[in-house]
Amino acid sequence: MITSSSTAVRAALGRIPPAVLLLAGMFVLHTGSALAVRAFSEAGPLGVTWLRLLWAALILSALGGRPLWRSLRSATRRDLGAAVILGTISAGMMVFYSEATARVDLGTATAVEFLGPLTVAVLALRRRREAVWIAAAAAGVLLLTRPWSGEADLVGVALGLCGAVCVALYIVLTQRVGSTFRAVHGLAVAMAVSAAVTAPLGLPQVLAAPDPTAALGVTLAIAVLFPLIPFLLEMVVLQRMSRTAFSTFASLEPGVSLIMGMAVISQWPAGIQVAGMALVVAAGIGAARGDGRGGRIARPRRSG
């Protein structure tokens, strides 16, 4: 039953344009991110992050069923190694982002992290003049963080930059793993690794929580919104969209994050921060224009 349902879901997703899937994933992701910020009071940023990853791993393993284990047995060591590395990078991405959003506004943390995929997109163009878009995005981040005001949380910004590096690596590795495993299978392995990597960081915060049982329930709901649905959609999308197109289309993500931060947790930006966000989004659109739709679409290769 689970396998047939999974097949039906994949078929349904295959009929939806990848850009629509990616945009839907952004709104779901940042709804989950905003709710996670609220949940930090339950078990701390690291505890909430670990529980979300643990729930995601358990749900994906159940969805994968027996075909998941057949896929793992038939996979090469290199393929499994790529999935393990993806899981480790995903753990870093989640931890850095959670810690950043605990210190700076959701939109600001996302804009800083967006420097990662934008850099991937610009480097893929292999034209030096396109580096202007990285400079424009960096200027936008400066307007968002306003370090001259003395109010900027430099630790939060630094954590966001670490997350940006992880996002860049995540994009490269997700396409690699997605071309080897079915989306659910590759993501199940990655999330299991992520949960294992973050357990030493998150478990102590969960055990110290006032009500660990409540934290379990809250994080289960959040895990479906982020990381489960967005990561699954992104892996599906990266099998049908070039790495450059994916990275540049994600230029809308900081804006989506700003909107959801206002709608869900009432994080209202100052005028100069809105201008900074507009500059970040414009940089992504500019890089997309330079892409010229020249990226090669990866064709999936299944195992199992």
Side-chain angles (χ1 to χ4, degrees):
M1 181 67 69
I2 290 176
T3 302
S4 61
S5 298
S6 177
T7 302
V9 170
R10 288 199 305 271
L13 292 178
R15 292 191 290 269
I16 301 174
V20 174
L21 291 176
L22 190 54
L23 186 60
M26 289 180 198
F27 276 97
V28 172
L29 184 154
H30 291 295
T31 299
S33 295
L35 293 174
V37 172
R38 280 187 172 181
F40 288 165
S41 59
E42 296 285 343
L46 295 176
V48 169
T49 299
W50 174 62
L51 286 175
R52 287 155 63 196
L53 290 168
L54 180 62
W55 280 123
L58 293 173
I59 293 170
L60 286 165
S61 296
L63 288 175
R66 289 185 178 180
L68 168 62
W69 307 114
R70 290 198 298 268
S71 178
L72 291 176
R73 286 197 298 269
S74 63
T76 65
R77 289 186 178 180
R78 185 173 182 177
D79 291 340
L80 290 173
V84 169
I85 295 172
L86 174 61
T88 305
I89 294 298
S90 297
M93 183 173 66
M94 294 280 290
V95 166
F96 287 131
Y97 185 71
S98 293
E99 289 289 349
T101 56
R103 292 169 172 80
V104 300
D105 291 345
L106 193 65
T108 300
T110 304
V112 173
E113 200 175 60
F114 175 68
L115 293 175
L118 181 63
T119 301
V120 170
V122 170
L123 291 177
L125 295 176
R126 297 181 181 179
R127 294 195 294 269
R128 291 183 180 179
R129 66 177 182 273
E130 301 296 341
V132 67
W133 302 120
I134 297 178
V141 167
L142 283 176
L143 293 180
L144 280 163
T145 55
R146 299 173 294 171
W148 57 84
S149 69
E151 299 176 359
D153 189 317
L154 297 182
V155 174
V157 174
L159 289 167
L161 290 173
C162 292
V165 175
C166 290
V167 172
L169 295 172
Y170 166 81
I171 292 170
V172 176
L173 287 165
T174 295
Q175 195 169 34
R176 167 73 175 84
V177 173
S179 67
T180 303
F181 295 97
R182 291 176 177 171
V184 172
H185 297 169
L187 199 54
V189 176
M191 291 298 97
V193 173
S194 294
V197 169
T198 56
L201 301 174
L203 182 58
Q205 289 195 358
V206 173
L207 294 176
D211 188 354
T213 304
L216 287 173
V218 169
T219 52
L220 171 59
I222 296 174
V224 174
L225 296 175
F226 179 38
L228 188 60
I229 293 177
F231 279 19
L232 185 57
L233 289 178
E234 286 176 1
M235 188 167 282
V236 171
V237 166
L238 277 168
Q239 295 176 41
R240 300 165 56 193
M241 182 183 286
S242 72
R243 187 185 306 165
T244 300
F246 175 91
S247 300
T248 51
F249 188 84
S251 59
L252 296 175
E253 186 164 352
V256 171
S257 178
L258 184 70
I259 292 170
M260 299 315 297
M262 290 188 294
V264 180
I265 51 179
S266 301
Q267 290 182 340
W268 296 93
I272 193 172
Q273 291 177 299
V274 174
M277 183 63 73
L279 195 55
V280 172
V281 172
I285 294 173
R289 176 199 56 79
D291 178 29
R293 303 176 70 86
R296 180 178 62 85
I297 297 177
R299 300 296 178 185
R301 174 173 58 85
R302 305 292 190 190
S303 67

